[in-house]
Amino acid sequence: MTTRPGRPRDERAHAAILAAVTELVAESGYAAMSLGAVAARAGVGKDTIYRRWSGKAELVYEAVFTASDAAPVPDTGSLEGDLTVLVQQLIDEFSTPAAVAALPGLLADFAAASDLRARIRSAFLEPAKQRLTVVFDRAHARRQTGPDVDVDLVLDGLVGTVFFRLGILGESAGPELAQDIARIAAKGIESR
Amino acid sequence: MTTRPGRPRDERAHAAILAAVTELVAESGYAAMSLGAVAARAGVGKDTIYRRWSGKAELVYEAVFTASDAAPVPDTGSLEGDLTVLVQQLIDEFSTPAAVAALPGLLADFAAASDLRARIRSAFLEPAKQRLTVVFDRAHARRQTGPDVDVDLVLDGLVGTVFFRLGILGESAGPELAQDIARIAAKGIESR
Amino acid sequence: MTTRPGRPRDERAHAAILAAVTELVAESGYAAMSLGAVAARAGVGKDTIYRRWSGKAELVYEAVFTASDAAPVPDTGSLEGDLTVLVQQLIDEFSTPAAVAALPGLLADFAAASDLRARIRSAFLEPAKQRLTVVFDRAHARRQTGPDVDVDLVLDGLVGTVFFRLGILGESAGPELAQDIARIAAKGIESR
Amino acid sequence: MTTRPGRPRDERAHAAILAAVTELVAESGYAAMSLGAVAARAGVGKDTIYRRWSGKAELVYEAVFTASDAAPVPDTGSLEGDLTVLVQQLIDEFSTPAAVAALPGLLADFAAASDLRARIRSAFLEPAKQRLTVVFDRAHARRQTGPDVDVDLVLDGLVGTVFFRLGILGESAGPELAQDIARIAAKGIESR
DNA sequence: ACTTAACCGAGACGGTACGTCCAGTCTTACT
DNA sequence: AGTAAGACTGGACGTACCGTCTCGGTTAAGT
């Protein structure tokens, strides 16, 4: 039962919509980007959008944040080194023009709708949490940390710091930023 | 001649508007709160709002974040203790019903308008930065930290973490949260 | 008891307001002329206007239609000649830039407010009716007309025709117009 | 391919809007009737009104003056009789509650906007002018009038008189009015 | 070949908020 | 009491967008 009756959805429309969102959100920002403009840019009817996504937030999330899920788990041999790589991954993910323009409004919409709010942890944070858990397991095996590090708290700290700096304040990340953040975090959770 | 010509602005209208904003933003959320509804609730014409504030973001900012500027500088004798108090001040500021409801949309609007974006550091962060600077000076005098702590980075980390947890994820702060955050931060920046 | 207590009204303000109305109504038209703009142009507070006139209609009426009340009663020796002069007086009165711009909106406001509507006959038409009555009395004395000419009907016909042509259609009056109208009217009411 | 792409316009919305205008203009008058109230009464969004009409004047014109275009050309055998019928047609057209309430403000708006002003002759007057032309042709064939009657002038006189009496002064038309006007006009233009 | 059913672009639909403008009133300090 | 200035409530304006609905027409799978 893999096929449904009727005409199948046009994959080119799907791709054209996501491309239009990426362009328009970078040009205009999240709030100023209307779905009507997306439809026009993509050469698509508005229904074709609403048939696939429930609203602006879901659509922009998929368009902007679906690439880096495959980021590799860092393994540099030290906790600080691993965290530096991981924070740099976050910075890279949040630094594209589309992400910078989309993030504040996107998270505002997610936060405002309770059904979406519940999905932030699973959608945004879960991939990074898995990488972070592996990093901590290795650090524990090296006796650098205790067994009871609060992964969620550290993750919220790293993500919150990066999001606040780049997404809210709109500052660009210098080459030292990832290491500066990682150094404090690593020292903060190491044993002793 | 300190008085301007014409009828002076009505302070009661000012107060009624801010009270209406605080109520409505807590009831409806930032995006769903219309300035027309604010005017109706306050018993005020829309012009009276637009005469004093340039838009929703400026208005809500003034209504929701103008109380805690007078928060005292903590002085517990230890860096971790001081940071715990300071983080708790942030948590308290971000935990009122109006602040929880207003923050994501408010910061999204500030981030989207470049003229407002520049004001986040000065308007939101400056009071906390001053307290944090005093805390670090005392810690340095106690030889707990070096002289070159990056105050902005730590501040962004503390604020970003609290804002992300409470404002974006909508989680409520448990009694241990402030100390958990402060402990990691203090260890992360201590000398040695 | 000709003097009232308190400061007497400033006659220069009165004149400045009427001058500002005449200018602004000619520039902008009746509907687009706001009393705030009149006050600013006259260098006067809005209250000074509302203290003297009850609203825009009354003000514009006084500014635009108060000059020609002293028009002389024509006496050319023939009914058609007298009517030609009288119609030309109407045309002159309705052809000033201010009158052309003010008339449609002004009469619309008069017609919409029942208390003003009752005043159109007395305010607009009474001076012309008196002149027309004299003209008809002389014509009757010359046995050109019967004794029972419906003065109001003829007056409404002359005024309505001129007002519709100039005020509503916005056409300019050629040199023959007064005589063309007067000829038909005179023939239409002569005996035989 | 005569059909345009997209959802066709809803004829019931069109009719509901015109019905709401007819009701509301009769209840409130032209100036006091807001398009927002029309939309609410018709159960329609404001966009649906602005999509079809450019403003209040165009909308009210279509709602109030679209019935009598099919009025028959009078043919009583005499000029005065024909004119009496024609004037009565004008009176009937201007005497409906909606027309009485709409006319002054409507013509004021038409007169104020130069693009609309040009349409008064074609939209309001053309149907009556055609009937009047036929009446004059017949009168000329009967040798009652010369060949060079100024149709526009007589039409402006008849319409102006009726409009001024009913529309501006707000007087109701007695049973003799049409004949009184027609008698003067007929005598005024007859040969000899 | 024919039916069925979901798809498609286009754009109209009801509804809601926007930010501006004006009417007519009110409140200052000053004359 | 009158004055200039300008703030006040209230409400209409015309625009923009949301998310849904309605057309005519297309594209496959199932019969």
Side-chain angles (χ1 to χ4, degrees), chain B residues 5-7 9-10 43-45 48 51-52:
Chain B
R7 175 178 177 177
R9 293 194 176 165
D10 187 341
V44 142
T48 301
R51 202 177 293 120
R52 295 158 193 259

Side-chain angles (χ1 to χ4, degrees), chain D residues 65 68-69 88-96 99 124 131:
Chain D
F65 296 100
S68 67
D69 290 358
Q88 187 63 51
Q89 290 171 347
L90 291 175
I91 290 173
D92 291 345
E93 190 174 8
F94 287 3
S95 293
T96 66
F124 276 87
R131 301 201 293 277

Side-chain angles (χ1 to χ4, degrees), chain C residues 32-62:
Chain C
M33 183 198 74
S34 74
L35 293 201
V38 170
R41 174 77 64 103
V44 139
K46 289 204 310 182
D47 261 18
T48 302
I49 297 177
Y50 283 103
R51 205 175 291 120
R52 295 157 195 257
W53 296 276
S54 69
K56 194 200 277 199
E58 303 259 22
L59 170 59
V60 173
Y61 169 70
E62 180 169 336

